[in-house]
Amino acid sequence: MKSILLKARYAFTQKQISARDYLYTEEPDTMQIDGKTYDLIELDKLNRLLDNTKTLAGRITLSHSLGNPSTDLGHIRDKQAASLEIIENEQLRSGLERVFEAATRYQEDFHRLLFGRFIGMLSDPGTRLEFQGYGYASFRYGIRFLPSVIEKIDELPETGSSYLTEAIAKLKDFKSTTSYELLSAPVYLRPGRIMPRSQRNLFSFRFKSSPFKLSIILLLALLFYSIPIFLQLNPMSASMTLFFMFITIFLYLPVVGSLDRDHVIYPFRRALLKAGEVEHAVLGLGQLDELLSFYRYFAANRNKSCMPEVRDDNRCMISLTKVNHPVLGFNNDKYVANDFDNRNKSLVFISGPNSGGKTALCKTLALTQIMAQSGTVIPARSGTISIADRICYQAPDAGSILEEEGRFGTELRRTREIFFNTTKKSLVILDELSEGTSHREETKIALMILNGFIRLGNATVLVSHNHDLAMMLEQRDAGVFYKFYLENNNPTFILTDGISESSHAELVAERIGFSQDDIDLHLKNLGL
């Protein structure tokens, strides 16, 4: 991930960051997720659920992983191995918890030190990056952030997984840098230069993070004691005392504070940011925080989660046993888990009653794919997942009536956009297709589009009530067919093989109070 500190500066001004912030970074070896897909699969909800991080760096790393899941099989497997090591090693987990207890103590001051604008005592902050004062407190406590973290990092046991070892090494290596020495030891000053203890000389002096410098105060006291004597006035007169207090309060603090801020604190942080050593350490801290957050999700779903086998095949193949929606099924024993398998055919056709679970399953597939490629566990008993280079999701657009082409044209435009951006390794989910025209034309155009996806060979999941379309595809042996069904006129949310011949629209009408009987009763009450 490029420039975690630049992202941290942006995130520090936000109440919340999300995976959406990282959708269009165009980084190599990452899955592409467009904004419409992000909204439809509700990736922000998954982001919030998984986010048990303790640091801003961890939040950024997690959001980045979900917004740009990796397509590098080696990286994914290394990250999985790191997650499993944390799951299995209680001593390591406890050590990491202590690391982040230390991190949370000083991180707010650390971020203020790096990104804040200190506006003095009399001005009011106008932005989230402005703070009253001259930065003394942020400097005094902010410099303790990384040294306190590394003190706990040194106590961690040896690790075996490469991803975890490298993340820890980023912090351990920081201990040998000049930036670490600046943060952990007194800072010394020389005109035009800030230096650590090891580089001080006779012409440098130690910086004290306070406006009250003993040497300056003694010099001012001597000055204001000498002036009255020189003018042959009583040095202890009330007027001299009040004058001294006035100078101290209204001139001393702003002058000394501004000098320290502009010539020490700001240059100090520029030196830290320019060196790149702090960035490297913060990146490692974010990676560890993300892994620990993954563990917390697993711990809350221990009996419903697994680490999937991720493979790099010629197309996206998904095989899941007892998969739950990662958000809706979280700590929900009543949520119905299902099996899914598209290994035999690239096209999967899902039918069934309204409100029967079709859309929830489609979102489950998309979110599970993202979790697998982010290196964490998935909400299933077992799973084998091939890498997808892109996820595209289409659903009926409520705003399509405002478009020039109407609903049919707008949705067809979206389908075209998906098709021409799809590769053989993409996962495409179509929640209804070619609606808004006659049934015959809908079937004809949908069949044309699906034939295109089948020839392309990518993984395509279609949700549809179009029974005729399903029968045509089945006769050609062109896909895998799943359906949801009712039991005693109630949805079971259970996925099984086959094609549903009815959407049970009348049951939905009865449930919402708009059946034929409801219409007749209403008209009767009106005397019609």
Side-chain angles (χ1 to χ4, degrees):
M1 177 169 50
K2 299 177 181 178
S3 187
I4 191 171
L5 289 182
L6 185 63
K7 291 177 171 63
R9 187 183 187 280
Y10 164 76
F12 190 56
T13 66
Q14 308 299 309
K15 292 183 179 179
Q16 182 178 329
I17 57 174
S18 71
R20 177 178 276 282
D21 297 321
Y22 304 98
L23 291 183
Y24 308 108
T25 55
E26 297 183 356
E27 294 184 20
D29 299 322
T30 58
M31 177 198 293
Q32 298 300 302
I33 308 170
D34 61 78
K36 290 182 180 179
T37 296
Y38 178 95
D39 293 334
L40 288 168
I41 66 176
E42 300 176 295
L43 185 53
D44 57 331
K45 293 183 179 179
L46 177 64
N47 196 158
R48 289 196 296 270
L49 179 66
L50 289 178
D51 188 3
N52 291 297
T53 57
K54 302 296 183 182
T55 63
L56 185 58
R59 287 171 55 204
I60 293 169
T61 305
L62 173 64
S63 297
H64 180 273
S65 292
L66 295 176
N68 287 269
S70 178
T71 57
D72 182 335
L73 181 61
H75 176 78
I76 294 169
R77 287 182 173 173
D78 286 345
K79 204 167 175 184
Q80 286 183 320
S83 294
L84 286 173
E85 186 171 0
I86 291 175
I87 289 171
E88 295 165 359
N89 191 331
E90 185 177 354
Q91 183 184 3
L92 175 61
R93 280 201 313 275
S94 299
L96 287 172
E97 292 288 2
R98 289 191 291 273
V99 167
F100 290 101
E101 284 176 10
T104 54
R105 195 173 306 144
Y106 300 116
Q107 74 162 330
E108 183 74 15
D109 290 294
F110 176 71
H111 294 132
R112 287 189 181 191
L113 173 63
L114 289 188
F115 312 125
R117 180 170 175 265
F118 305 106
I119 57 175
M121 303 302 297
L122 301 179
S123 301
D124 292 324
T127 70
R128 291 177 64 86
L129 284 178
E130 291 184 342
F131 304 95
Q132 283 190 323
Y134 298 97
Y136 290 116
S138 297
F139 181 92
R140 187 161 54 250
Y141 297 110
I143 61 174
R144 300 181 189 179
F145 176 69
L146 284 174
S148 67
V149 165
I150 292 169
E151 180 182 337
K152 299 300 180 182
I153 285 286
D154 288 337
E155 299 174 1
L156 293 177
E158 291 294 321
T159 53
S161 56
S162 59
Y163 183 89
L164 190 56
T165 301
E166 289 170 8
I168 292 172
K170 287 183 176 73
L171 288 156
K172 287 187 173 182
D173 292 346
F174 182 69
K175 199 170 183 179
S176 61
T177 64
T178 301
S179 297
Y180 176 81
E181 193 177 357
L182 280 171
L183 290 169
S184 58
V187 174
Y188 288 83
L189 307 175
R190 205 170 66 187
R193 188 178 174 190
I194 296 173
M195 64 194 76
R197 185 198 297 269
S198 63
Q199 298 177 14
R200 64 177 176 167
N201 55 35
L202 293 175
F203 302 101
S204 58
F205 61 93
R206 180 174 173 175
F207 173 66
K208 182 180 180 182
S209 181
S210 168
F212 301 105
K213 323 287 186 183
L214 181 60
S215 57
I216 297 178
I217 292 174
L218 290 176
L219 181 63
L220 286 175
L222 178 62
L223 178 65
F224 283 100
Y225 182 78
S226 301
I227 290 176
I229 292 178
F230 180 76
L231 296 176
Q232 296 182 344
L233 299 173
N234 180 4
M236 302 305 293
S237 67
S239 60
M240 287 298 99
T241 301
L242 290 174
F243 181 71
F244 179 78
M245 292 175 60
F246 175 84
I247 292 295
T248 300
I249 294 172
F250 292 100
L251 291 181
Y252 176 86
L253 287 177
V255 169
V256 174
S258 297
L259 286 171
D260 281 346
R261 176 196 63 195
D262 296 340
H263 296 283
V264 181
I265 294 175
Y266 285 171
F268 176 85
R269 77 171 177 203
R270 284 197 294 270
L272 291 180
L273 293 170
K274 184 178 180 180
E277 298 159 345
V278 169
E279 172 126 12
H280 198 61
V282 169
L283 179 59
L285 186 67
Q287 291 172 326
L288 294 177
D289 201 3
E290 179 193 37
L291 289 173
L292 205 54
S293 187
F294 285 162
Y295 165 76
R296 295 185 183 108
Y297 177 82
F298 166 78
N301 291 269
R302 192 178 295 270
N303 297 324
K304 297 181 179 180
S305 300
C306 73
M307 188 63 73
E309 178 189 352
V310 179
R311 305 180 349 185
D312 193 1
D313 297 309
N314 61 352
R315 71 171 175 87
C316 178
M317 291 186 281
I318 304 171
S319 177
L320 301 168
T321 303
K322 298 298 180 186
V323 64
N324 289 278
H325 190 288
V327 179
L328 300 178
F330 182 75
N331 284 336
N332 183 359
D333 293 332
K334 295 182 179 180
Y335 194 88
V336 179
N338 282 293
D339 299 345
F340 181 90
D341 195 333
N342 75 340
R343 288 176 295 181
N344 293 330
K345 299 286 184 180
S346 64
L347 174 65
V348 176
F349 193 109
I350 301 176
S351 56
N354 292 290
S355 304
K358 301 186 299 298
T359 297
L361 176 65
C362 289
K363 293 180 180 180
T364 297
L365 295 174
L367 294 174
T368 300
Q369 184 77 38
I370 289 169
M371 292 175 72
Q373 291 184 223
S374 297
T376 186
V377 297
I378 60 172
R381 294 287 176 84
S382 64
T384 301
I385 294 178
S386 302
I387 290 173
D389 64 356
R390 181 183 298 270
I391 290 182
C392 298
Y393 195 108
Q394 175 178 321
D397 185 358
S400 61
I401 58 172
L402 302 178
E403 302 292 340
E404 183 179 343
E405 297 91 346
R407 176 178 176 180
F408 174 74
T410 302
E411 293 187 14
L412 194 62
R413 184 187 295 276
R414 170 63 175 160
T415 309
R416 178 186 181 279
E417 173 190 333
I418 291 173
F419 182 80
F420 285 110
N421 284 287
T422 295
T423 73
K424 193 169 184 177
K425 298 185 71 171
S426 301
L427 173 60
V428 173
I429 300 173
L430 306 170
D431 194 344
E432 303 296 352
L433 184 61
S434 301
E435 290 196 328
T437 186
S438 68
H439 177 72
R440 184 179 64 82
E441 289 183 320
E442 174 190 332
T443 303
K444 179 180 178 181
I445 292 178
L447 189 61
M448 174 193 73
I449 293 168
L450 292 174
N451 281 334
F453 280 115
I454 291 170
R455 289 170 60 191
L456 184 60
N458 69 291
T460 303
V461 179
L462 172 65
V463 169
S464 179
H465 297 287
N466 192 329
H467 177 260
D468 293 334
L469 176 63
M471 295 302 294
M472 290 179 184
L473 292 167
E474 185 181 44
Q475 289 170 5
R476 300 179 186 184
D477 192 26
V480 178
F481 298 87
Y482 287 121
K483 67 177 180 180
F484 287 93
Y485 64 95
L486 299 180
E487 197 170 86
N488 299 324
N489 289 334
N490 292 310
T492 62
F493 305 107
I494 297 175
L495 188 68
T496 187
D497 295 333
I499 299 172
S500 176
E501 296 186 7
S502 172
S503 299
H504 304 280
E506 291 182 358
L507 292 176
V508 176
E510 288 177 8
R511 189 164 61 246
I512 67 173
F514 199 39
S515 65
Q516 184 64 55
D517 290 341
D518 295 309
I519 293 173
D520 292 342
L521 179 61
H522 176 70
L523 294 176
K524 180 180 178 181
N525 291 335
L526 293 176
L528 299 174

